[in-house]
Amino acid sequence: MNTEQIQDIRTAERCSHCQDLLRVTFSDSDGNQFCCHGCLSVYEILKSNGLSRFYDIQKQLNPNDIIPTGDESHKKFDYLKDETFLRDYITTQNRQASMSFYLSGIHCIACIWLIENLQKIEPSIDHSRVNLSESTVVVTLKENQFDFSRVAQTLSQLGHTPHPLRHNDDILKLSKKEDKSQLLKIGIAGFSAMNIMLYTGSIYAGADSSTSQNFGFISMALCSPVVFYSALPFYKSAIGAIRNQSLNIDIPLALAVILGFIFSCYFIWIGEIHHYFDSIATLTFLILLSRFGLRKVQKLTLSKDNLTDFFSTVTIKKVKKISNPTPTEIHPKQLQVGDLILVEPGEMIPADGIIAQGETLLNLASLNGESQAIPFRTGQPVLMGSVNQSNNIIILVKSIGDKTNIGKMIKELSHQFSKSSYYTLLTNQIIKYFVSTVLLLSASVLIYFSLLGEFTIGLQRSLALIIVSCPCALGLATPLTFTRMFNLARKSGILLRNEEALEKVSRIDSLFFDKTGTLTRGTFEVSHFDILQEPLIKEVSIEDLVFSLESRSTHPIAKSLKNWSLSRRENLTNISWESWQETIGVGPEALFKENVYALRALNGSTDSLSTQIGLFENNQKIASFKLNDIIRAESSEVLKNLRATGRKVYLSSGDKKDQVAAISKELGFKEGNYRAELSAKEKSEWVSQHPLSMFIGDGVNDTLAFSKAYSSIAVNGSVELGLKVADAFLIKDSLTCIENLFKISDQTIKTIKINLIISIFYNVFGAALAIAGIVTPITAAILMPLSSASVVGSTLWFTRERNGTNGNH
Amino acid sequence: MEIIKLLIPLALGLGACFLGLFIWATKSGQYEDLDSPALRILIDDEENINNELIQKRNSK
């Protein structure tokens, strides 16, 4: 008997491509080691095309960046050859065609360098240009070349899945236009504010009256573009609020700008040297700037409304007839009801429909959370999101996109999430009271003084009141706080859906974890194997047999067995079987030189955390494998720290009882704090018993539980879909981010509260001074920037990056 | 104080020039991608690297 154990995980060796720690090793002919076949193939592509500098740039400039792993699926992207499809996607100039792609996984300089040198790998490319802010690349082909499928293949092999972008996408264009116009407004407001200050400064310094008046006219001229152009968004939003019969922060802002400007003009006209022009311009500039910052940060989380975009990573194989199953690959946008599509093992079904031919096992985990695959037969209806696990099937499409079952569910969920949360409501309430109080007060001041016969004084004081009590803290500090915190969260590996998502987190008192893929890595690995007997045929090894048996299967267990064989031997022979078949739910079986080989699950596994597989030769066991789903290294530590904060931690799983019990024991879940064999519905019911719960799960698979939980985090899957169904998405594959999220959320709430207090204090003080008549334009000019500075200062101070948000206290 | 009649239009004119440049830069899309140009400059041209290597070899 020959027992060996795979190397311990914590050896310091790293993959030559992605720098990840090596668990399973693949070697190339030069002795470089890799963590997976994807990395190995990217390395080889780069090496054979003279692009090995990629690794120098990567190491030299930013050793901590994540490098995408190569994609092994070998998609063909046939639709990128199709003329009718290309019409909407390419632009041509001088007979050179260009096309934009959205690329996943470009973060660093090495990626930019590699993608801009793509012509060395794919000679039909003339040049390509990356836009890192938008994660897009524009690829231009050489003259008279129109085949973008090879470009897409190359990108996909390098690990950057390409999503073609329409060249006249309205939403994209509109958002760009909006960005530009906001930037122009900010630029003009800034220019005016700074120039006006020069002239106002000399007025305050005591310039003589004729100079002062001339300076006043110059200031008026400089201020008018601010009032008539830069401040337009305030007016629009104020009018919108009045139409809806509600109050918002833009109403006093708009009033301050318009009234301030009119009366300043009047003051200048009558020869009074003081005016509010500088205050108006500075206020507009600062508030526009902080709003622009927030908009930019929120845009980073990429919100696309079209559901089909999520599935554009899936390439759909369309077939013409059942009798003629030669597929052509099409883009999800080309898919229509009534089409016949081929779904191969390992692929997700991209639409709701009926099986037109074939029978297979489908995994419905994304729909009901059950990890056990269910057999389906010709004529049975299937749902989008199910994963095909065993055989080729042809599906007749019945509904697509938003009209499918899961599409409806996600759409509903997106609506649910637009509900406001506590702090937003609180802030809105405060704004309403605040605005109505200011308006009432200034009106009564005006009426009071007019009754006394002092109309001009009344006018001046009520104007001073509106300008001085302009809610800077609410208008400026809150967006700034969120901007800073979103960036901080992103740095520590979390993408947030919106502001509410961040506020909600600090109120959470119980956390529900999913097991597979969340607390565990979700991939099986061979931890033990026994070779009982060498195969009868001398020229093949156990590894050859395992690899060849599983070579056509895409089941996770098959994958890990293939990896095991690859890591054991460099030159495997792929045996050409005389016959091969996979029985659903059992495993593959094949014939070679009159011997029958099969892989089957072994009954009576002794250890409940693992699965055991046997290799059989003519029904006699010749080798056995033990596969484990490995618990994440950080899980136990993170759970411990979360418990220490006084929050309750639960484990909810759809897996078998003994498995869950074993893992709970290891991670310290007490009896009653974990439940096993839960369906998706039972999970969501359990979660909804806790009003302030957070569900941490596996992306789309836990959609139902996400919808019932107060807050949610998606750990795996695509970013777009993750943020559609959950409040937050982990971009780093580590649970420690969750700990950080709690700290960041607490910090945010604290900062917002402090800013509210400062601004309330300031406004009460300012209002009192204004009514007493002490606030003249000069005091307003001092008080306003001072209040802005104080809230900005407190925001920057309280949102600063602390050691605590990146590690332990 | 007569000089101010020259200086103010001059100052405003200069300011307007830069504002014009800013508007032009925005409209021509230079603010659309602020991240990649900052990184791109750090990549040395391959020819320069080769030249440096040749120089090093020669000096030895």
Side-chain angles (χ1 to χ4, degrees):
Chain A
M1 195 177 282
N2 165 17
T3 311
E4 279 181 52
Q5 199 166 354
I6 295 262
Q7 273 186 326
D8 185 43
I9 307 165
R10 282 169 280 277
T11 43
E13 284 182 89
R14 282 172 185 275
C15 174
S16 299
H17 172 69
C18 70
Q19 310 299 321
D20 202 1
L21 284 175
L22 286 174
R23 268 173 276 121
V24 189
T25 318
F26 297 85
S27 304
D28 70 353
S29 47
D30 297 341
N32 294 310
Q33 294 185 317
F34 302 92
C35 65
C36 62
H37 227 224
C39 286
L40 176 66
S41 62
V42 176
Y43 189 87
E44 276 174 356
I45 293 172
L46 296 189
K47 214 177 95 186
S48 60
N49 289 290
L51 292 171
S52 301
R53 257 192 79 205
F54 176 76
Y55 299 103
D56 298 333
I57 294 173
Q58 195 268 331
K59 264 180 216 146
Q60 186 187 330
L61 294 166
N62 203 344
N64 295 325
D65 270 319
I66 310 150
I67 300 181
T69 303
D71 186 0
E72 292 170 82
S73 59
H74 299 296
K75 283 182 203 143
K76 287 208 203 80
F77 298 96
D78 284 339
Y79 55 84
L80 290 176
K81 287 180 196 162
D82 183 24
E83 269 178 46
T84 44
F85 179 81
L86 285 179
R87 203 172 295 148
D88 286 341
Y89 288 80
I90 57 171
T91 47
T92 345
Q93 204 172 23
N94 300 333
R95 288 194 293 173
Q96 288 190 310
S98 310
M99 183 156 164
S100 313
F101 295 95
Y102 173 79
L103 292 185
S104 57
I106 36 176
H107 330 263
C108 69
I109 178 167
C111 300
I112 299 180
W113 179 82
L114 179 60
I115 292 166
E116 294 192 346
N117 278 297
L118 217 57
Q119 70 274 15
K120 291 185 184 158
I121 303 178
E122 175 49 51
S124 67
I125 298 174
D126 188 58
H127 61 269
S128 41
R129 189 90 175 158
V130 175
N131 181 333
L132 190 65
S133 312
E134 291 171 358
S135 288
T136 56
V137 60
V138 180
V139 180
T140 307
L141 297 185
K142 295 213 170 97
E143 262 180 52
N144 292 328
Q145 299 268 7
F146 293 98
D147 183 0
F148 279 93
S149 64
R150 294 220 301 275
V151 176
Q153 279 169 34
T154 315
L155 285 168
S156 151
Q157 274 164 18
L158 294 176
H160 300 286
T161 314
H163 309 246
L165 295 173
R166 289 165 75 100
H167 66 73
N168 51 359
D169 194 321
D170 291 337
I171 302 166
L172 218 73
K173 260 192 178 167
L174 218 70
S175 122
K176 265 191 187 167
K177 214 177 142 192
E178 179 67 28
D179 265 1
K180 274 186 190 172
S181 106
Q182 285 199 6
L183 211 56
L184 284 178
K185 289 186 174 106
I186 292 170
I188 286 169
F191 164 78
S192 304
M194 280 158 213
N195 279 290
I196 294 172
M197 266 181 223
L198 287 177
Y199 302 102
T200 321
S202 51
I203 295 176
Y204 294 146
D208 65 50
S209 69
S210 72
T211 317
S212 289
Q213 200 177 6
N214 286 334
F215 281 3
F217 281 117
I218 295 174
S219 304
M220 184 170 79
L222 283 168
C223 191
S224 27
V226 177
V227 177
F228 294 113
Y229 178 63
S230 296
L232 282 177
F234 302 155
Y235 311 150
K236 264 188 204 155
S237 137
I239 290 169
I242 293 168
R243 274 206 188 132
N244 291 329
Q245 301 188 332
S246 76
L247 293 166
N248 72 6
I249 193 164
D250 284 343
I251 294 175
L253 277 176
L255 274 179
V257 171
I258 294 174
L259 293 179
F261 184 73
I262 293 173
F263 286 101
S264 299
C265 292
Y266 172 70
F267 290 155
I268 298 291
W269 185 252
I270 60 168
E272 165 78 47
I273 53 166
H274 292 304
H275 55 73
Y276 290 111
F277 293 130
D278 60 329
S279 301
I280 294 169
T282 316
L283 182 78
T284 311
F285 173 62
L286 288 177
I287 289 184
L288 283 178
L289 198 63
S290 68
R291 287 184 183 175
F292 185 72
L294 186 64
R295 184 183 146 88
K296 275 274 154 194
V297 179
Q298 283 177 330
K299 242 183 80 181
L300 288 177
T301 55
L302 199 94
S303 60
K304 281 185 184 163
D305 289 321
N306 199 344
L307 184 70
T308 47
D309 284 338
F310 304 138
F311 293 92
S312 52
T313 42
V314 185
T315 307
I316 299 172
K317 299 191 192 75
K318 186 178 168 179
V319 290
K320 286 214 177 86
K321 280 182 199 157
I322 297 177
S323 53
N324 176 22
T326 23
T328 34
E329 291 182 5
I330 59 166
H331 190 262
K333 279 184 182 143
Q334 292 174 296
L335 187 68
Q336 283 171 344
V337 175
D339 283 351
L340 287 168
I341 49 171
L342 173 74
V343 181
E344 286 181 5
E347 292 179 344
M348 189 183 264
I349 296 178
D352 284 1
I354 289 175
I355 301 188
Q357 198 194 33
E359 60 179 273
T360 188
L361 276 179
L362 292 183
N363 188 329
L364 306 182
S366 53
L367 302 161
N368 61 12
E370 279 170 40
S371 52
Q372 204 74 35
I374 298 165
F376 276 81
R377 224 174 276 145
T378 310
Q380 277 186 294
V382 288
L383 297 175
M384 170 158 150
S386 327
V387 177
N388 185 4
Q389 286 205 324
S390 49
N391 296 329
N392 284 356
I393 45 170
I394 292 173
I395 289 170
L396 176 67
V397 177
K398 286 284 178 193
S399 53
I400 48 174
D402 281 350
K403 304 226 165 53
T404 59
N405 216 358
I406 196 167
K408 279 182 204 153
M409 198 154 106
I410 291 170
K411 214 174 163 188
E412 198 177 296
L413 209 57
S414 321
H415 283 302
Q416 265 185 26
F417 273 118
S418 51
K419 279 191 289 189
S420 296
S421 75
Y422 176 75
Y423 274 94
T424 319
L425 285 177
L426 180 74
T427 322
N428 287 342
Q429 280 299 318
I430 292 180
I431 289 174
K432 276 183 191 165
Y433 284 124
F434 181 82
V435 171
S436 45
T437 316
V438 168
L439 292 180
L440 268 176
L441 258 180
S442 48
S444 32
V445 166
L446 186 63
I447 292 167
Y448 175 77
F449 280 98
S450 343
L451 287 179
L452 289 179
E454 304 264 15
F455 180 73
T456 347
I457 293 180
L459 202 64
Q460 278 184 7
R461 291 191 184 180
S462 64
L463 185 63
L465 182 67
I466 289 179
I467 292 177
V468 158
S469 54
C470 224
C472 288
L474 300 169
L476 195 72
T478 315
L480 189 66
T481 310
F482 280 116
T483 311
R484 300 262 301 169
M485 286 332 231
F486 268 57
N487 276 331
L488 208 61
R490 214 173 123 81
K491 254 192 201 167
S492 60
I494 308 156
L495 281 185
L496 290 153
R497 179 216 269 279
N498 51 22
E499 291 122 83
E500 281 109 326
L502 190 56
E503 292 176 5
K504 277 184 190 170
V505 173
S506 71
R507 295 160 57 81
I508 300 298
D509 62 5
S510 41
L511 293 105
F512 290 80
F513 282 89
D514 182 38
K515 186 178 87 61
T516 316
T518 306
L519 288 173
T520 66
R521 293 191 161 269
T523 49
F524 283 96
E525 273 167 30
V526 176
S527 63
H528 271 87
F529 62 91
D530 290 322
I531 294 177
L532 307 171
Q533 184 187 314
E534 288 299 320
L536 289 174
I537 304 163
K538 287 289 163 262
E539 60 263 42
V540 295
S541 64
I542 298 277
E543 290 83 4
D544 292 338
L545 285 171
V546 171
F547 184 77
S548 316
L549 273 168
E550 295 286 25
S551 63
R552 283 182 243 181
S553 180
T554 47
H555 194 273
I557 289 178
K559 248 187 181 166
S560 52
L561 282 174
K562 271 189 274 184
N563 279 343
W564 171 83
S565 331
L566 284 165
S567 68
R568 294 259 302 165
R569 233 163 239 255
E570 272 165 35
N571 33 9
L572 288 167
T573 0
N574 199 347
I575 301 164
S576 39
W577 302 108
E578 281 145 32
S579 74
W580 182 91
Q581 63 169 12
E582 187 167 29
T583 320
I584 294 162
V586 182
E589 200 179 88
L591 190 72
F592 183 61
K593 294 195 176 165
E594 291 173 7
N595 289 307
V596 180
Y597 291 95
L599 279 166
R600 272 178 238 146
L602 296 176
N603 292 329
S605 310
T606 42
D607 189 338
S608 47
L609 260 178
S610 57
T611 309
Q612 292 205 26
I613 305 283
L615 174 65
F616 292 85
E617 182 179 56
N618 302 325
N619 275 330
Q620 196 193 343
K621 191 166 83 174
I622 57 167
S624 70
F625 304 90
K626 193 168 141 190
L627 292 103
N628 272 349
D629 184 8
I630 291 169
I631 298 177
R632 285 173 190 266
E634 74 277 7
S635 289
S636 155
E637 176 81 18
V638 169
L639 291 173
K640 209 179 87 193
N641 292 342
L642 285 172
R643 286 193 193 104
T645 59
R647 294 180 171 95
K648 287 204 178 100
V649 184
Y650 302 97
L651 174 68
S652 91
S653 173
D655 286 334
K656 300 242 165 60
K657 256 187 192 130
D658 46 351
Q659 282 188 16
V660 178
I663 218 164
S664 300
K665 207 174 157 194
E666 197 157 329
L667 292 173
F669 286 99
K670 288 197 193 91
E671 192 73 43
N673 285 356
Y674 65 87
R675 289 188 193 175
E677 292 177 32
L678 295 179
S679 71
K681 208 174 163 216
E682 285 167 330
K683 273 189 194 176
S684 64
E685 276 164 9
W686 192 25
V687 170
S688 58
Q689 288 167 12
H690 299 256
L692 294 175
S693 57
M694 170 185 266
F695 195 91
I696 299 137
D698 203 25
V700 207
N701 291 11
D702 291 307
T703 311
L704 203 60
F706 284 165
S707 69
K708 295 288 181 221
Y710 178 71
S711 172
S712 50
I713 300 179
V715 178
N716 279 320
S718 81
V719 183
E720 291 95 335
L721 197 50
L723 278 179
K724 204 83 182 174
V725 295
D727 282 340
F729 178 83
L730 298 190
I731 31 178
K732 274 190 195 158
D733 194 21
S734 163
L735 293 179
T736 40
C737 305
I738 296 172
E739 264 182 88
N740 290 338
L741 182 61
F742 279 100
K743 285 175 195 154
I744 289 171
S745 176
D746 289 345
Q747 215 176 330
T748 310
I749 302 301
K750 196 174 138 197
T751 313
I752 291 178
K753 278 185 185 165
I754 289 171
N755 283 332
L756 278 179
I757 292 169
I758 292 179
S759 87
I760 288 171
F761 170 78
Y762 166 82
N763 279 312
V764 170
F765 178 70
L769 289 185
I771 295 169
I774 299 170
V775 179
T776 53
I778 185 165
T779 26
I782 295 166
L783 277 178
M784 291 207 34
L786 205 67
S787 79
S788 306
S790 65
V791 287
V792 169
S794 91
T795 307
L796 295 183
W797 174 254
F798 289 107
T799 58
R800 72 194 185 279
E801 209 171 323
R802 298 176 206 193
N803 296 333
T805 38
N806 281 330
N808 299 324
H809 271 296
Chain B
M1 285 301 275
E2 283 301 301
I3 192 69
I4 217 166
K5 285 179 185 158
L6 175 69
L7 286 179
I8 287 180
L10 207 63
L12 284 176
L14 270 176
C17 272
F18 284 110
L19 184 67
L21 276 178
F22 172 77
I23 292 172
W24 167 76
T26 310
K27 289 209 161 150
S28 68
Q30 293 187 30
Y31 290 97
E32 278 171 25
D33 183 10
L34 298 173
D35 299 326
S36 20
L39 291 174
R40 206 175 272 130
I41 194 126
L42 296 172
I43 306 171
D44 293 317
D45 286 341
E46 234 143 291
E47 296 129 41
N48 292 352
I49 290 182
N50 292 340
N51 289 344
E52 266 173 43
L53 284 177
I54 293 165
Q55 275 175 7
K56 266 185 198 166
R57 250 178 245 156
N58 290 347
S59 63
K60 271 175 196 171

